[in-house]
Amino acid sequence: MNISIIGLGLLGGSFALGLKAKGAPVTILGVDSNPRHASQALAGKIADQILSLPEAVAKADVVVLATPVNTILQQLPEVLDMLPAGAALLDFGSTKEQLCAAVATHPKRGQFVATHPIAGTEYSGPEAAFASLLEGKTMIICEREKSDPAALAVVEQLCHTLDMQMRYMPAAEHDLHFAYVSHLSHISSFALGLTVLDKEKNEKNIFDMAGSGFSSTVRLAKSSPQMWGPIFTQNRQNVSEALAGYIAQLQQFKEAIDARDEEQTKEMMAKANEIRRILG
Amino acid sequence: MNISIIGLGLLGGSFALGLKAKGAPVTILGVDSNPRHASQALAGKIADQILSLPEAVAKADVVVLATPVNTILQQLPEVLDMLPAGAALLDFGSTKEQLCAAVATHPKRGQFVATHPIAGTEYSGPEAAFASLLEGKTMIICEREKSDPAALAVVEQLCHTLDMQMRYMPAAEHDLHFAYVSHLSHISSFALGLTVLDKEKNEKNIFDMAGSGFSSTVRLAKSSPQMWGPIFTQNRQNVSEALAGYIAQLQQFKEAIDARDEEQTKEMMAKANEIRRILG
């Protein structure tokens, strides 16, 4: 099976490495606009060949769009236009509503499966990819009913090979949830990094004094601006609403602290502790 | 050497377990107002005996106050009053300015060493304690010049046994830095937990969809309100200033997202990426 991966970064690369590690009979045709990433992907055995996008699509049984979501938005209808009959197209974008809308009336819509693998790290590029990234993780499929059963079956089979669990939901619901459980986390981390960098001019101080708590909260501030900028733009309304809610919670904390109202801060923290039930 | 630990929680318990694991010739006299924690500490070999506070202090070569900072504020002058000549007193509070001020003119001030071990997890109580928690971590000592050389030497020797690195700084500087590199992280996490719990009524959704990024950012929301409430109160001004800066950064993000100004969000994220230099 020829799988053409457009964008040989963390997710695209890990998808390829994961399938190969499981012994799946796949040939990976890689496409990347960055020549350095293309050769790293060859060297790292992510891609078996590097091709141009039209060549890779023409030869594909499955095409994966694993580029930033603004690029996916542009590539999705173009790739669908040139997709061979019987091939399946999927994408790894963290937003789903605008992407699905862009091909809603495309004559080949059925060959597209809108997917979002819930996995990642704060690193990017082919050198960040590793075989077990997707293993055991959740794959969300949106607008399942708009995909042809054959295309859906191919995608589900590949996910099954990686021991991924499938979840199905409408694209709008996906984008709303992910504004809260993913996109907001990233902004909270970026803003925390900026606040601390702004205040602490002496890096040795941050380094020596930051405990594991700070590292864990600020970890996502290392994430790629090229990847996250377009996500926030495409999911603008939900992210803005989530941010407004977050800012309101922080302001309530600040007011309670300013007022020395320790009962109030304790009450808020006790309520936040309920996250234990979810995180385990 | 008799070490009396007041508060047999995560830090006090890990300090005891760490010293024992290193083969230090110590007898741990434990004090805890919570009888369940006291028996867990005995069962977990944290404490060799459980005593009342006055008994434990009377028999001590070293006393460690490892209670929440509001309790430390109250216990510090009382314990200093009854501290045997030649014994050293230290505390594990995350705030230092008010604690140091509370005993600034105490006749036995020299026997007190104001310390803050930079270590912790989101869990609390004796069952959360483990021998390696403090190993290789930083111990901050404030107002070193106000401690007697003998008391300082005992504390530094114990830290040395645990392979801890020492850092010295004024109490006010400590509290300012920790508002940024620790206290703010905790509030950002508590507020994130509240925002998501508020929006996502269906816990299955959060559980299935939250990736490792969310878990890492919201981890500290599991922290103890009893421990953190008094920290925010004691470090009120610095924490409030840090929160104001954080809220301003988030608002700037929100404005850029609302205005679809992707260049601006990317610029902010690229600046936040500089945290890589510090976190490695």
Side-chain angles (χ1 to χ4, degrees):
Chain A
M1 177 187 279
N2 284 344
I3 302 187
S4 296
I5 300 184
I6 323 296
L8 300 164
L10 172 70
L11 277 176
S14 296
F15 185 69
L17 292 174
L19 289 172
K20 289 180 170 193
K22 293 288 184 184
V26 295
T27 300
I28 306 293
L29 311 177
V31 179
D32 205 299
S33 59
N34 179 334
R36 195 165 55 89
H37 281 188
S39 40
Q40 285 170 344
L42 269 183
K45 310 257 157 107
I46 288 171
D48 300 298
Q49 288 176 57
I50 298 294
L51 298 173
S52 71
L53 191 143
E55 286 174 314
V57 173
K59 291 185 178 175
D61 298 301
V62 172
V63 178
V64 180
L65 296 177
T67 46
V69 295
N70 55 332
T71 309
I72 297 178
L73 191 58
Q74 172 218 314
Q75 289 173 331
L76 188 52
E78 292 171 11
V79 170
L80 212 45
D81 285 344
M82 55 176 112
L83 196 69
L89 171 65
L90 59 157
D91 80 291
F92 284 171
S94 284
T95 54
K96 285 279 141 304
E97 209 171 354
Q98 280 198 36
L99 300 182
C100 285
V103 290
T105 58
H106 195 286
K108 296 181 181 175
R109 171 64 184 88
Q111 287 177 259
F112 171 55
V113 182
T115 51
H116 178 199
I118 310 312
T121 73
E122 64 276 33
Y123 303 107
S124 47
E127 294 190 329
F130 56 99
S132 62
L133 176 64
L134 295 165
E135 190 164 344
K137 303 289 167 59
T138 296
M139 180 69 100
I140 295 187
I141 296 189
C142 293
E143 301 193 345
R144 170 198 213 170
E145 68 288 354
K146 294 196 178 161
S147 299
D148 294 339
L152 205 55
V154 169
V155 172
E156 288 173 340
Q157 183 54 47
L158 289 170
C159 294
H160 184 72
T161 303
L162 293 168
D163 296 322
M164 297 185 79
Q165 288 104 43
M166 316 298 298
R167 271 204 77 182
Y168 305 91
M169 66 179 67
E173 196 184 309
H174 168 279
D175 284 12
L176 175 64
H177 288 312
F178 278 88
Y180 283 82
V181 300
S182 167
H183 308 169
L184 178 59
S185 288
H186 282 79
I187 297 176
S188 86
S189 224
F190 282 120
L192 185 65
L194 287 170
T195 309
V196 172
L197 287 167
D198 206 40
K199 182 70 186 179
E200 299 278 350
K201 307 296 178 197
N202 179 345
E203 293 188 5
K204 186 160 163 44
N205 270 341
I206 311 184
F207 187 77
D208 284 1
M209 300 204 300
S212 57
F214 178 68
S215 307
S216 143
T217 351
V218 87
R219 177 172 72 84
L220 300 177
K222 299 194 239 173
S223 304
S224 157
Q226 302 312 319
M227 176 177 160
W228 284 96
I231 291 173
F232 301 147
T233 302
Q234 280 189 27
N235 203 14
R236 187 171 52 83
Q237 283 182 324
N238 292 321
V239 170
S240 180
E241 185 205 285
L243 256 173
Y246 184 52
I247 291 169
Q249 293 285 359
L250 290 163
Q251 262 157 347
Q252 218 180 311
F253 253 109
K254 185 172 180 301
E255 280 160 28
I257 289 168
D258 288 341
R260 306 177 195 226
D261 186 352
E262 199 172 299
E263 283 320 300
Q264 167 72 1
T265 59
K266 282 184 182 169
E267 207 175 284
M268 291 180 76
M269 289 187 268
K271 217 173 133 195
N273 280 172
E274 289 174 29
I275 205 80
R276 285 181 191 152
R277 286 208 313 270
I278 293 150
L279 298 179
Chain B
M1 179 188 276
N2 283 344
I3 301 187
S4 296
I5 300 183
I6 323 294
L8 301 163
L10 172 70
L11 277 176
S14 297
F15 185 70
L17 291 174
L19 290 172
K20 289 180 170 194
K22 293 289 184 183
V26 295
T27 300
I28 305 292
L29 312 178
V31 178
D32 205 298
S33 60
N34 179 334
R36 195 165 56 88
H37 282 187
S39 41
Q40 285 170 345
L42 269 182
K45 310 255 160 105
I46 288 170
D48 299 300
Q49 289 177 58
I50 298 294
L51 297 174
S52 70
L53 191 143
E55 286 174 314
V57 172
K59 293 186 177 174
D61 299 302
V62 173
V63 178
V64 181
L65 296 178
T67 45
V69 294
N70 56 331
T71 309
I72 296 178
L73 190 60
Q74 173 218 313
Q75 289 172 332
L76 188 50
E78 293 171 8
V79 169
L80 211 45
D81 286 343
M82 55 176 113
L83 196 69
L89 171 65
L90 59 155
D91 80 290
F92 283 172
S94 284
T95 54
K96 285 279 143 304
E97 210 173 353
Q98 280 198 35
L99 300 182
C100 286
V103 290
T105 59
H106 194 286
K108 297 182 180 173
R109 171 65 183 85
Q111 287 178 260
F112 171 55
V113 184
T115 52
H116 178 198
I118 311 311
T121 73
E122 66 275 33
Y123 303 108
S124 48
E127 294 191 327
F130 56 99
S132 63
L133 176 63
L134 294 165
E135 191 164 344
K137 303 289 168 59
T138 296
M139 180 69 99
I140 295 187
I141 295 189
C142 293
E143 301 195 346
R144 173 199 212 173
E145 69 288 353
K146 294 196 181 163
S147 299
D148 296 339
L152 206 56
V154 168
V155 172
E156 289 174 341
Q157 182 54 48
L158 289 171
C159 294
H160 184 71
T161 303
L162 292 168
D163 295 321
M164 298 185 78
Q165 288 105 41
M166 316 298 298
R167 271 205 76 184
Y168 305 89
M169 65 179 66
E173 197 185 306
H174 168 281
D175 283 14
L176 176 64
H177 288 312
F178 278 87
Y180 283 83
V181 300
S182 167
H183 308 169
L184 179 59
S185 289
H186 282 79
I187 298 176
S188 86
S189 224
F190 282 120
L192 185 64
L194 286 170
T195 309
V196 172
L197 287 167
D198 206 42
K199 183 68 185 183
E200 300 278 349
K201 308 296 180 198
N202 180 346
E203 293 188 6
K204 188 163 162 41
N205 269 342
I206 313 183
F207 187 77
D208 285 0
M209 300 204 301
S212 57
F214 177 68
S215 304
S216 141
T217 356
V218 86
R219 177 173 71 85
L220 299 179
K222 299 194 238 173
S223 303
S224 157
Q226 302 311 318
M227 176 179 158
W228 283 96
I231 291 173
F232 302 147
T233 301
Q234 281 189 25
N235 203 14
R236 187 170 51 86
Q237 283 181 326
N238 291 320
V239 170
S240 180
E241 186 206 285
L243 256 173
Y246 185 52
I247 291 169
Q249 293 286 358
L250 290 163
Q251 262 158 346
Q252 218 180 312
F253 254 108
K254 185 173 179 299
E255 279 159 28
I257 289 169
D258 288 342
R260 306 177 195 226
D261 186 352
E262 199 171 298
E263 283 321 300
Q264 167 73 0
T265 58
K266 281 184 183 169
E267 207 174 284
M268 291 180 75
M269 288 187 270
K271 217 174 133 196
N273 280 172
E274 289 175 28
I275 205 78
R276 284 180 193 155
R277 285 208 314 270
I278 293 152
L279 297 181

